[in-house]
Amino acid sequence: MSGIEGSPALAEHDTEQMAMALYQARRRRVPIAPFTDARPTLDAVGGYAVQRRLTDLLVSDGERVIGYKAGLTSAAMQEMFGVDAPDYGPVFASTVRPDGTRVARDDFISPKVEAEIVFRLASPLAGPGVTVEQARAAIGEVVAGLEVVDSRITDWRIRLGDTIADLASNGAAVLGRPIRARPDLDYRLVRMAFRRNGELVASGRGSDALGDPVAVVALLANLLGENGVTLEAGQLIMTGALHAAVPLRPGDTYTAEFDHLGAVSLHVAHE
């Protein structure tokens, strides 16, 4: 995920300017033009530099990082947004909601909802060099999850550098009841049915997340480890959508039912 080989590094003032533009877009709920319109060479490296600065700004406002999310881990999501690699970003405490929560469409800019498998770590993982087996051993709980993804980029006209800078298009996370991790359960085979107002609109299985959601945990540990960041015990790891994201509509109820993990739902308030 090093981006475009040989692409120029962002100057510090450019990083600051982009981070502040996203910071204001989040506060005002007004989208901005893609950075890659003016700077088509913005790659993953530059995107993560902006992401780190934006995260610092939000933490200074009182946000707290309680885990990490992987995005664009399924072929369906990569095809949907025209990118060819996964990304990651922080999960903030303020964005996590309980099962059955009610959200307002106007809390976001252009929200979509997706279902995914979420893990909670029982022990830390420090990359690089973390294996899938080590990642599996570190998982303490598994949770059925819904993620509301949102973009501060106009009309979701994102390239990889844009969505990385925008905290991997994070919005909110809705979590079901935690289940103790089972060493005998192959999470690649966990099936999921996604319904809107009771009607099946998508389905998937764990293997749709980079072939194995546990491998996503190892990937995150290794990518973050390259920057000296350790995944800590107790942190949430969101492993990515198992299907193409669905627009969040006022008045609708969205439910994901997982084998072994149970179900999780969110309701959208009427306008």
Side-chain angles (χ1 to χ4, degrees), residues 28 36 47 107 163 180 187 233 243:
R28 298 170 181 169
T36 52
D107 288 343
T163 186
R180 184 178 297 277
Y187 296 105
H243 61 99

Side-chain angles (χ1 to χ4, degrees), residues 97-105 107-108 113 146 148 174 197 248-255 264-270:
R97 319 284 177 83
D99 182 21
T101 194
R102 182 178 298 272
V103 301
R105 168 66 175 74
D107 288 343
F108 309 96
V113 61
L146 291 171
V148 178
V174 182
N197 301 328
L248 197 77
R249 304 189 311 199
D252 283 353
T253 295
Y254 300 88
T255 301
V264 59
S265 296
L266 73 86
H267 312 285
V268 187
H270 290 277

Side-chain angles (χ1 to χ4, degrees), residues 74-196:
S74 70
M77 288 296 286
Q78 290 184 14
E79 181 178 351
M80 186 175 192
F81 294 114
V83 300
D84 58 4
D87 64 354
Y88 67 85
V91 174
F92 294 119
S94 68
T95 67
V96 177
R97 319 284 177 83
D99 182 21
T101 194
R102 182 178 298 272
V103 301
R105 168 66 175 74
D106 289 345
D107 288 343
F108 309 96
I109 294 175
S110 184
K112 304 176 187 291
V113 61
E114 58 193 40
E116 56 193 88
I117 295 172
V118 182
F119 296 118
R120 188 182 298 276
L121 298 182
S123 56
L125 287 171
V130 172
T131 66
V132 174
E133 291 73 21
Q134 289 171 327
R136 177 181 287 274
I139 294 169
E141 294 177 340
V142 58
V143 186
L146 291 171
E147 183 180 8
V148 178
V149 290
D150 195 20
S151 182
R152 275 55 64 172
I153 305 300
T154 300
D155 298 329
W156 283 93
R157 291 192 296 111
I158 56 172
R159 297 182 185 176
L160 189 60
D162 297 306
T163 186
I164 288 173
D166 190 21
L167 305 182
S169 303
N170 71 356
V174 182
L175 303 183
R177 182 171 61 90
I179 305 294
R180 184 178 297 277
R182 289 172 42 189
D184 62 319
L185 180 57
D186 188 342
Y187 296 105
R188 296 173 298 181
L189 305 180
V190 171
R191 295 175 298 177
M192 182 280 304
F194 180 76
R195 291 182 167 84
R196 180 177 56 215

